[in-house]
Amino acid sequence: MSGHGYEKGRLNLPFVGLCTFGKYPYQPDWDSIDADFAVLGAPFDFGTQFRAGARFGPRGIREASTLFSFGHAGAYDHEDDVTYLEADKVRIVDIGDADIIHTDTMQSHANIETGVRAILKAGAIPIVLGGDHSVNIPCINAFSDQEPFHLVQIDAHLDFVDERHGVRYGHGNPMRRAAEKPYVTGLSQIGIRNVSSTARDGYEDARKMGSDIQSVRQFRAMGVEAMLDRIPAGGRYYVTIDIDGFDPSIAPGTGTPSHGGFLYYEVLELMAGLIKRGDVIGLDLVEVAPDYDLSGSTTTLAAQILLNIIGRIDYARRA
């Protein structure tokens, strides 16, 4: 038989069984996480300023991720000539969702932070499924007792608002809150474009506080390698991906779509280069809103990019 991974164990095709992320084991006991990567859902969308619905993002991404769970032998990439995510080499668990309390931002954020801290305590890499982009705030808070790191953001919007109408913890604030942390050494904000939710003073503040801001057009003009050269080499990186960083032609399922965004391979090549450049210590992917995703292309894109990134992080660490 060919080495397609069906020789042992249950077939477990995508359309059967339970929808954990990638059909990896479910671990409900956060004190017993034993894994290299742990997936946490953060179904919170009270921070949105326009269309809500990202609370269903984790559920949608998990269901889409079952498409990539064929067999038991990992995923062979002929371009890289590498088999990623081999079951006997990488341990991935899904620890479910953080408790979200409707209308209570601070306690909901605290519960997300608790989940990320549990993952870090177990020595695993947190993979957080949003939720709106405000869930990045508790994710970054959870690293307060970790070594410093550089934050890499893929997004259409700068998300650097300090305070607006008394709001400091919505989805327009996370990068400002991150930049304030003494253990965040700088930010690379990539894909920022067009009419922004952050005013000019926010851009000025971001640059003063250590941000390198590049649009999609600037990224394409310089190329992937030049963009990577702008990110500190040999560092520790936390990655936050807003799905609206991608073009809405391939990712319509989001609350604040912005045309002129990235295509799949642009982000994959950037992430692949970043993983070779240093150590990715955490990742969140946010703002997937399945109700606006009639074809399922957005949730599929989210699941595909996440599994590709996880596979490359694992391979780089073992290599």
Side-chain angles (χ1 to χ4, degrees), residues 4-315:
H4 48 47
Y6 294 148
E7 291 87 346
K8 58 183 179 179
R10 293 189 57 189
L11 186 57
N12 198 22
L13 290 175
F15 55 87
V16 302
L18 301 176
C19 291
T20 59
F21 181 79
K23 291 202 170 179
Y24 289 108
Y26 173 49
Q27 175 52 273
D29 183 356
W30 291 2
D31 292 321
S32 301
I33 299 169
D34 183 17
D36 303 305
F37 300 86
V39 178
L40 171 69
F44 174 94
D45 64 2
F46 315 155
T48 55
Q49 300 175 72
F50 184 42
R51 300 192 301 188
R55 68 182 61 186
F56 298 111
R59 190 171 293 181
I61 295 169
R62 284 185 174 110
E63 183 171 357
S65 73
T66 64
L67 173 62
F68 307 103
S69 63
F70 284 102
H72 313 281
Y76 176 67
D77 187 320
H78 78 93
E79 292 180 300
D80 296 344
D81 193 23
V82 172
T83 298
Y84 296 108
L85 302 173
E86 294 178 272
D88 61 343
K89 294 182 180 178
V90 60
R91 300 168 302 156
I92 302 172
V93 297
D94 188 328
I95 68 168
D97 292 342
D99 283 328
I100 303 302
I101 304 171
H102 65 287
T103 76
D104 191 337
T105 293
M106 301 313 293
Q107 188 58 55
S108 296
H109 278 190
N111 293 343
I112 295 167
E113 180 179 342
T114 295
V116 178
R117 285 187 180 275
I119 295 169
L120 293 172
K121 182 180 179 181
I125 296 176
I127 308 294
V128 178
L129 314 177
D132 70 47
H133 214 156
S134 74
V135 306
N136 174 261
I137 297 171
C139 290
I140 298 302
N141 289 346
F143 281 81
S144 62
D145 56 358
Q146 304 285 313
E147 295 179 24
F149 59 85
H150 185 88
L151 196 156
V152 178
Q153 173 197 14
I154 306 298
D155 204 326
H157 309 97
L158 197 68
D159 293 348
F160 215 89
V161 176
D162 182 16
E163 181 177 327
R164 183 179 291 154
H165 311 304
V167 176
R168 293 174 55 83
Y169 303 100
H171 74 167
N173 308 110
M175 297 303 104
R176 179 67 173 243
R177 301 287 81 86
E180 294 168 347
K181 300 291 189 290
Y183 50 91
V184 176
T185 58
L187 291 82
S188 296
Q189 301 187 261
I190 308 168
I192 315 304
R193 58 189 183 270
N194 300 332
V195 178
S196 175
S197 58
T198 301
R200 183 187 182 96
D201 60 350
Y203 281 79
E204 293 170 347
D205 289 346
R207 292 188 174 99
K208 291 176 185 176
M209 296 173 74
S211 286
D212 179 30
I213 304 167
Q214 300 297 324
S215 71
V216 174
R217 287 193 293 181
Q218 290 167 328
F219 171 93
R220 287 174 177 161
M222 74 175 79
V224 173
E225 293 303 320
M227 184 67 243
L228 288 167
D229 286 342
R230 300 179 70 94
I231 300 171
R236 287 159 48 84
Y237 312 121
Y238 183 97
V239 176
T240 180
I241 300 176
D242 187 324
I243 203 69
D244 69 28
F246 290 94
D247 194 78
S249 62
I250 61 170
T254 187
T256 51
S258 179
H259 284 275
F262 286 119
L263 299 178
Y264 170 75
Y265 270 114
E266 291 176 307
V267 174
L268 179 62
E269 290 170 6
L270 177 63
M271 290 296 102
L274 183 71
I275 290 162
K276 293 176 182 177
R277 190 171 180 80
D279 188 18
V280 175
I281 59 169
L283 167 68
D284 63 61
L285 189 148
V286 301
E287 297 286 357
V288 172
D291 283 352
Y292 315 119
D293 188 32
L294 300 182
S295 70
S297 64
T298 311
T299 52
T300 301
L301 170 63
Q304 185 173 343
I305 198 73
L306 284 170
L307 284 162
N308 273 279
I309 292 172
I310 293 169
R312 282 162 174 77
I313 294 172
D314 170 65
Y315 183 78

